[in-house]
Amino acid sequence: MKIKVRGFDGVIDYHPGQSEKTLWQILRDNNIDIGGSCLGRGNCGKCQVRVLSKDEFPMSEAENRILSHNDPERQHRLSCFIQPKADMEISIPSQEKNHRVLTQGFLPSFNYQPAITKGLFNVSQPTLDNPVPYIDFLKEALNQPSIDLEIITSLPIGEEFYTAVYSDTQLIGIEVGDTTDYIFGVSVDIGTTTVVATLIDLKTGLQLGSESEINGQTKYGSDVLTRISYVSDNEPRALQKIQQAINQTINSLIKKLSAKYEVDHHHIYEMVVSANTIMTHLLLGIHPGKLGRSPYVPVTADAFNIPAKQVGLKRCSPFARLVTISAISAFIGSDVVSGIYASGIHNNQKAALLIDIGTNGEIVFSNKGEMVGCSCAAGPALEGMNISSGMKAADGAVEEVKFRPDGVELTVIGNTEAIGICGSGILAAIREMISTGLITYRGRIIDPELLDEDDYRKQYLYVDTNNKRFVRLSDKIIISQGDVRQVQLAKGAILSGITALLNDCEFKAEDVEEVVVAGQFGAHVNEESLIGTGLLPEAFAGKIRYIGNSSHSGAYMAQMSLESRQAMNRISNEITYIELSILDGYERLFAKSSLFPRVTENKL
Amino acid sequence: MSRDQNDLIKLLSDYVFEMEDEDIVDLANEYVEAGYDVEAAVMDGLVDGMSRAGVLFAEEEYYVTDILICSDALNNAMEVFKPLLLEKGEEVDQSPKIILGTVEGDTHDIGKNLVKIMLEVGGFKVYDLGRDVPLQQFIDVAIEKEAAIIGLSSLMTTTMTGMKVIIEKLEEMNIRDQFKVIIGGGAVSQFYSEQIKADGYAEDAISAVELAKTLVDV
């Protein structure tokens, strides 16, 4: 049967064969990114499609329940519940335009001393009087006791000039002629969702430009745990497939960069990667199964420097190197190590806290260089997921909200019509709801019946036929009680992580001198929202600085400075990792951290 | 002159309901010092307060985090009352038994702990095996205690397959119909429950109790 997806060329030809597949599986098999963080298990409600042809698919109780949370207006179906029986046409509502990705981060000054260097050599030629093998002249010129067979077989012999390529002091390759002008590297920040690559001229340190792409592994799951499950549940080829997926993304990024900046990819000699621990394992082809189970420990947290082709990276010099930075724990990776190094909290004399806010929040506290860290599962609410009208930070997303007596003021990315709300937007909305008393400190949306007729807040409240309360920002954008709870959970996770870490060091929030916020989300949100919602303690006001995509900055520094690279690898050894879930009284701390700040002037 | 027993019992219920997890200890001590019957304090005071909280939870007024603090209040008061309660012998106790735990590899138990409290309040005898529980242990204890229900929790997709394994083991041992298996936790769903042929799925602690009650009445 034929399945047409609006917006995509051609049709999908589907033959049920042995077993019937769900629409979700069919779309994935055809490389259409349908979303769905639960990998088609019927759990997350995010694989929505609109059935444009006749919808004769019976709706089960299970699908109904999930749609009531995720699609209250019932415009969609979940593709993981649909089994196509005849030709059909669908559209996928989650088309995101112009997804804003943070490529840059704050960069402190440092000394350039990249690992990759080149040297030009004039090589003597054999003659009848001096019939020395060609390679011996080469060895002599380069001062090398031997030359690898692989180099010998790939090199034009008998030339006058050769360029040797080194990684630190190790000879990694030889090129014919004078190629000393062309030394390039790529810094890669591998995020679970987005991968950012930057092309760097290693002679000068100049960042020529960056490109970003959605991580090709998302078709195996949008979060790290789902990807781990994919590998564990689909032996034996799954690990290879998922490794290939990230390679393809990196190779594609390098292709774009080399075309755009007119650099021959054969002159790219080093890729430095900064990423969370699971992404690093998958890139290196290490089975991640153990990381998804207690005691949540990585297979290895070491740094690696290996031939790039060993993991399948091809769009570079055949003797290019892949360099990874060491990690701290299963859930605190080299991306955080990069962040620590770029922020400088490891060697300034202050009591400083670094927070990398994303789906997982990583928190590192440095007290005059002594560091402890933890990871908390904030959940995807802060990235606009699991939220009724939630979306990624792209055109059409509400990112700031103000409730005024005469109506709501929305700031929308791209200044277009508001079609959804992103992480910073939902946080801003909650901040407003707290300060105007539309929700209680316990997170309950108030009953509009209890407000006077002329109370301006009545216009924002809405109760549906099931007696469920909502806050309405526009016709399309609503905030449900469930959405508030999602933000509460995220806020509870992060605040309890901060508190637990500080308690462990016998420190108070007031005594923290500097708070560094890193990560995609952190850069788009303002201090007013972070403190107004109680995500960060009030005592942090005025002490916050943003460093943007510090994972990226760190990768760049590791590429341009051997000293930085070594320092970063040392840092990971110096941090004590604290597992929050085994701390005494953590449950109660989490519960109390989920409460919103109490507004002194109680409006009710 | 000590306060009236009924007044104190009502206050105990209020303190649980209103999350007064610290002040409730003094109140419990006052009750004990007055020499009143402890079992009444537990059933009509603490359990009553927890049930009231459960109603609000179902109405979305209270959230998981609120119930956690209510349960702290209940537990703090129980610390005072427990030594004085006559232990019902296991043979005499007719309450239906349920084995509960977070599956092997998973250490998340906040939700599971709440389910335990609500089940006890709902009249079940709960054997909580804790977290990261080896799969076979669920079966062994269920057999030993002649439990009616096995309750499995998991928060991560990486560990939920353990639930399927347990059901398969029960079938291999030819004892699948001796127990009802129910599942819960962030990783699972109604759909998954049907897929692995469990006897039910509950979204939260309140529905878990309702589900358990339905299954033992059958």
Side-chain angles (χ1 to χ4, degrees), chain A residues 271-273 280 283-284 302-305 322-326 569:
Chain A
M271 269 86 75
V272 175
V273 167
T280 310
L283 174 70
L284 294 171
D302 290 347
F304 286 88
N305 185 330
L322 170 66
V323 173
T324 64
I325 301 167
S326 50
N569 289 331

Side-chain angles (χ1 to χ4, degrees), chain A residues 186-208:
Chain A
V186 176
S187 305
V188 190
D189 163 30
I190 304 183
T192 309
T193 307
T194 315
V195 182
V196 181
T198 306
L199 184 59
I200 300 172
D201 182 335
L202 296 178
K203 296 186 320 294
T204 60
L206 181 67
Q207 297 187 40
L208 294 170

Side-chain angles (χ1 to χ4, degrees), chain A residues 433-459:
Chain A
M433 284 154 71
I434 295 168
S435 66
T436 56
L438 282 167
I439 52 178
T440 67
Y441 77 97
R442 281 194 299 100
R444 178 59 170 146
I445 298 178
I446 60 174
D447 184 354
E449 296 297 306
L450 298 175
L451 293 177
D452 289 338
E453 271 315 304
D454 56 353
D455 192 325
Y456 82 93
R457 294 172 295 168
K458 247 181 136 90
Q459 67 184 294

